[in-house]
Amino acid sequence: MSEYLAPFEAMLDTLFPPGRVRAIDAGADWSDERAEVEKSGFLEALASEDGLPIGDVVTLWRALGYRAAPLAIGETMIDRSEQDADLAKPLLLAAAISGAADRVLSMTVDHANQRVQFGKPIGRQQAVQQQLAVMAEYVVAVRMSLDLASSGDWPTAEKAALAKVVAAIYAPQIANAAHAVHGAIGISADYDLQLYTRRLHTWRLEGGGETAWARKLGGSILSASDSSLDWMRRLLF
Amino acid sequence: MFDTLSLATIPPEDEALRPKVRTLAMEAVAGMPLDRRARSWMGFDPAFSRKLGEAGLLGLTLPTEYGGAGRGPFARFVVVEELLAAGAPVGAHWIADRQSAPLIYNYGTEAQRREYLPRICRGEALFCIGMSEPGAGSDLAAVRSRAERTGEGWRLNGQKLWTTGAQHVDYMIALVRTSGGPEGRHAGLSQLIVPLDRPGVSIRPIEDLAGDSHFNEVFFDDVDLPPDALIGEEGQGWAQVTAELAFERSGPERIYSSHVVLDAWIEHLRKVGRADDRTAAIVGGLIARLATLRAMSLACTGRLAAGESPVVEASLVKDLGTSFEQELPLAIADDLAAHPQENPDPEIVAALRYLTLVAPSFSLRGGTREILRGIIARGMGLR
Ligand SMILES: Cc1cc2nc3c(=O)[nH]c(=O)nc-3n(C[C@H](O)[C@H](O)[C@H](O)COP(=O)(O)OP(=O)(O)OC[C@H]3O[C@@H](n4cnc5c(N)ncnc54)[C@H](O)[C@@H]3O)c2cc1C
């Protein structure tokens, strides 16, 4: 992982704490924060000279999702690269979903360990554990497809589609499991969970959901002639 | 969470094995109907296993001094992936290569290593897994089969159940009680290598719902075994079996059980020229999930290659993988049933019928879905 991640995360933590995220959601002007980010130099992360590999930039984008920070930061990075933005945008959304999914999973595990009903933490209930285990599988699947899509150079059409399909398939399921385990507290506006689950749904659909992107992937396979394994090895791995 | 699972790539020297395996796999399945190929690691063909042994494709992770290839888990990944993707009949050597050999290598004495490993690598010593019993399924620590020390070794009594391949193979590695009773749970368990041709061993095949007989009931009635039947340490059976299960659960076999129908279906779609939006979306969705599982399975292989025993990670990949393997034939069958005018090849229909029947077993064998999810939950710090 790149040495840029920790300073980037620290900057986001300062600029976009949950209270500020809520204000921005409500329409607050965030040009001061934008100026800070500009000063940091991170907006040039994908600039042709001394830019970072896409795989490293994806970890920065995950950090945005983890904090529900504005994706406009990632979009500016893409716009300042000289590469095909259409291939990077689905990756930005998938990365944001991956980051938010991580956040939602850790909030949900913490909640399950703390909330006591029937005289013990709900996380001791097998039914709750099973939901959390499945949620973890989905969270890991989203991250692995993203890592695969961002390995190597600029993403190809197939790799971008891969990441967005998998992120879009699992985003709502992760959000729903998180809400199920949180109970009513997760539905309240004051509780932060909704900052992330709301975005999981928005980012899933932005620029096309799982069906839209799966079509592209499927179209590519059906017009090829190799086996599914060889096709995957050739275009995704 | 689960940051230990990170993207891993197959080293080029291991990747280089692929063409050789593929040639052998293709030869083995030439002319074989698709529903037989769909049996894959339930298909039993000792001659094919010996051929793989001759080609140096078994025991890949074992040191050369024991007949192995001295390579890592990635080499095995490549070989296994090719065999499964082709639907080659790999059942004969499957257990020995996947888990018995590493178990013997890790816990066996030097003499035991020399006795079994070279023959496993040649495809000549075949093994089965003696864990489950009538009263010990998910609750494996409830095993009652029991071995007592005698003057000359061990005397074994009891019963194993669901033992895949027992009617054909040479040895079972059995988890048995060597001290205490079932109330002792994890304590007092040991693993024994049982040659299945010993007096007192009787084996009864059990027919499955598709008409196949792969698993068995095995009875032990005063079976006398030499002292060196004990593998590893007496009383350490639980720790050993846990490590063995990590090998059992972490391979690519947990994503490719239904694979042959995927390729047959894609072939069919290309032939009839159906690539409309809806069809493409179904194909693309399945492939995206498969590619992700492959990446996850490779990540697990990376942990094995680093010398770890990725118990939690393997459970995670297996649970997600078997869900995929179970959905795949349903999705394909539904698609074909919506297009009857395309007259799909009867072979693919037969393979789908077979897979639909046996698919529930994918999330039973090797530990049930519920048990795996419990392991994952504990890995996340719950309980
Ligand atoms: C095709 C096939 C091949 C097999 N081959 C072998 C083999 O070669 N060697 C071998 O030793 N075994 C083999 N098995 C057995 C396999 O390991 C067992 O089926 C498995 O461990 C489950 O045990 P069980 O079938 O007794 O089910 P049970 O343990 O009775 O489980 C039934 C249901 O109850 C659930 N359950 C049980 N306990 C709990 C719990 N604590 N919490 C939540 N849910 C629970 C299970 O998840 C499952 O849904 C094979 C099985 C199959 C299907």
Side-chain angles (χ1 to χ4, degrees):
Chain A
M1 202 158 298
S2 92
E3 75 262 38
Y4 299 100
L5 180 60
F8 186 71
E9 288 179 327
M11 175 181 73
L12 295 182
D13 285 335
T14 316
L15 297 179
F16 303 103
R20 194 60 194 141
V21 168
R22 285 167 183 275
I24 294 169
D25 276 354
D29 172 72
W30 60 285
S31 43
D32 288 353
E33 285 89 351
R34 193 191 284 276
E36 284 296 315
V37 177
E38 183 71 73
K39 260 199 308 200
S40 73
F42 275 108
L43 295 178
E44 312 301 322
L46 287 171
S48 45
E49 271 148 52
D50 47 62
L52 300 173
I54 187 82
D56 284 354
V57 174
V58 157
T59 65
L60 305 182
W61 293 344
R62 291 180 77 238
L64 293 174
Y66 191 86
R67 289 157 185 81
L71 290 203
I73 294 170
E75 280 158 17
T76 308
M77 293 179 189
I78 295 173
D79 292 339
R80 292 189 187 176
S81 78
E82 275 153 25
Q83 313 248 33
D84 188 347
D86 288 347
L87 296 176
K89 292 218 165 125
L91 221 58
L92 168 62
L93 289 160
I97 287 174
S98 174
D102 267 0
R103 178 63 161 258
V104 160
L105 177 63
S106 68
M107 286 179 80
T108 308
V109 170
D110 288 348
H111 181 76
N113 277 327
Q114 279 154 23
R115 168 73 174 163
V116 173
Q117 285 291 279
F118 299 99
K120 58 187 180 190
I122 56 169
R124 298 234 186 104
Q125 303 286 355
Q126 200 180 47
V128 173
Q129 293 182 353
Q130 300 265 314
Q131 295 203 57
L132 285 166
V134 175
M135 203 177 154
E137 291 168 17
Y138 295 164
V139 170
V140 174
V142 170
R143 180 168 51 80
M144 292 300 299
S145 62
L146 177 69
D147 287 351
L148 185 57
S150 60
S151 60
D153 298 331
W154 203 254
T156 58
E158 283 81 7
K159 286 188 168 190
L162 165 76
K164 191 65 207 287
V165 170
V166 174
I169 289 175
Y170 293 126
Q173 311 210 36
I174 292 166
N176 289 347
H179 279 294
V181 172
H182 270 86
I185 188 80
I187 304 294
S188 75
D190 280 352
Y191 194 81
D192 284 341
L193 184 64
Q194 54 97 352
L195 297 179
Y196 311 99
T197 55
R198 165 199 310 274
R199 283 170 170 75
L200 285 173
H201 292 292
T202 314
W203 291 336
R204 164 187 173 225
L205 298 178
E206 200 173 319
E210 62 271 27
T211 299
W213 286 98
R215 241 183 237 158
K216 297 180 202 260
L217 215 49
S220 168
I221 297 157
L222 290 174
S223 63
S225 59
D226 41 5
S227 72
S228 57
L229 177 58
D230 284 350
W231 184 90
M232 288 193 298
R233 290 175 47 242
R234 182 161 60 83
L235 291 172
L236 300 178
F237 283 84
Chain B
M1 230 170 280
F2 298 107
D3 293 343
T4 45
L5 276 179
S6 58
L7 207 61
T9 32
I10 302 174
E13 65 274 19
D14 294 330
E15 190 57 55
L17 286 169
R18 199 177 288 278
K20 178 162 144 186
V21 199
R22 185 169 293 189
T23 307
L24 283 170
M26 288 304 161
E27 259 171 49
V29 302
M32 193 186 271
L34 196 68
D35 71 307
R36 281 209 34 225
R37 288 167 57 195
R39 278 157 172 88
S40 188
W41 48 295
M42 290 292 172
F44 198 92
D45 183 349
F48 178 59
S49 295
R50 283 195 297 273
K51 219 181 229 181
L52 291 173
E54 262 166 48
L57 297 173
L58 299 184
L60 287 156
T61 59
L62 299 174
T64 46
E65 55 175 315
Y66 301 109
R71 291 175 179 251
F74 285 107
R76 181 168 186 275
F77 184 99
V78 170
V79 170
V80 164
E81 176 172 64
E82 282 296 323
L83 293 172
L84 294 177
V90 293
H93 67 269
W94 202 242
I95 308 295
D97 180 65
R98 178 178 72 189
Q99 61 198 82
S100 316
L103 175 83
I104 293 170
Y105 178 67
N106 288 331
Y107 297 105
T109 61
E110 190 53 32
Q112 286 171 325
R113 289 173 166 186
R114 302 219 171 268
E115 160 85 11
Y116 299 105
L117 297 181
R119 286 191 293 139
I120 290 178
C121 295
R122 291 197 300 269
E124 289 168 5
L126 310 178
F127 281 70
C128 62
I129 307 167
M131 295 188 195
S132 305
E133 295 184 3
S138 298
D139 185 10
L140 186 54
V143 297
R144 305 180 81 95
S145 292
R146 182 170 193 92
E148 311 274 358
R149 272 194 195 278
T150 60
E152 295 94 72
W154 301 92
R155 179 160 301 160
L156 175 61
N157 278 288
Q159 178 189 354
K160 291 290 169 186
L161 189 58
W162 313 124
T163 324
T164 302
Q167 76 271 50
H168 303 300
V169 304
D170 309 300
Y171 304 97
M172 172 194 286
I173 297 190
L175 181 71
V176 303
R177 227 157 253 298
T178 45
S179 65
E183 68 290 346
R185 305 288 299 166
H186 301 171
L189 292 172
S190 304
Q191 288 185 300
L192 296 181
I193 303 183
V194 184
L196 293 173
D197 58 1
R198 288 262 150 173
V201 176
S202 48
I203 300 174
R204 258 204 18 226
I206 302 171
E207 188 178 314
D208 82 358
L209 76 187
D212 293 347
S213 296
H214 41 80
F215 49 28
N216 299 269
E217 281 183 292
V218 183
F219 299 91
F220 306 117
D221 188 12
D222 282 337
V223 179
D224 282 316
L225 299 169
D228 67 358
L230 178 73
I231 176 95
E233 238 176 280
E234 184 176 347
Q236 288 304 304
W238 188 257
Q240 291 176 201
V241 100
T242 304
E244 182 184 348
L245 283 168
F247 282 107
E248 174 164 356
R249 289 171 182 159
S250 57
E253 49 266 58
R254 305 305 180 171
I255 61 181
Y256 289 121
S257 298
S258 304
H259 192 78
V260 292
V261 293
L262 177 63
D263 276 327
W265 175 57
I266 291 174
E267 228 11 80
H268 165 85
L269 294 173
R270 286 172 181 160
K271 204 174 84 198
V272 301
R274 175 153 60 89
D276 59 277
D277 278 355
R278 193 184 142 75
T279 305
I282 302 174
V283 175
L286 291 171
I287 292 283
R289 288 166 65 195
L290 178 60
T292 303
L293 283 164
R294 184 175 190 258
M296 291 169 75
S297 192
L298 279 168
C300 235
T301 307
R303 303 329 299 163
L304 288 174
E308 295 168 17
S309 180
V311 177
V312 179
E313 292 88 340
S315 302
L316 194 141
V317 180
K318 177 177 183 275
D319 189 36
L320 197 64
T322 52
S323 300
F324 173 77
E325 293 179 328
Q326 289 173 336
E327 280 173 50
L328 188 74
L330 300 182
I332 295 175
D334 182 44
D335 174 78
L336 290 175
H339 299 87
Q341 72 286 1
E342 288 175 355
N343 291 319
D345 187 337
E347 277 202 23
I348 188 171
V349 176
L352 284 167
R353 196 177 302 128
Y354 165 76
L355 284 169
T356 306
L357 284 176
V358 301
S361 71
F362 300 166
S363 60
L364 296 174
R365 60 187 186 190
T368 70
R369 166 163 294 149
E370 290 73 21
I371 295 302
L372 298 178
R373 290 179 181 171
I375 294 172
I376 298 165
R378 275 197 302 284
M380 287 195 284
L382 294 156
R383 196 182 305 193

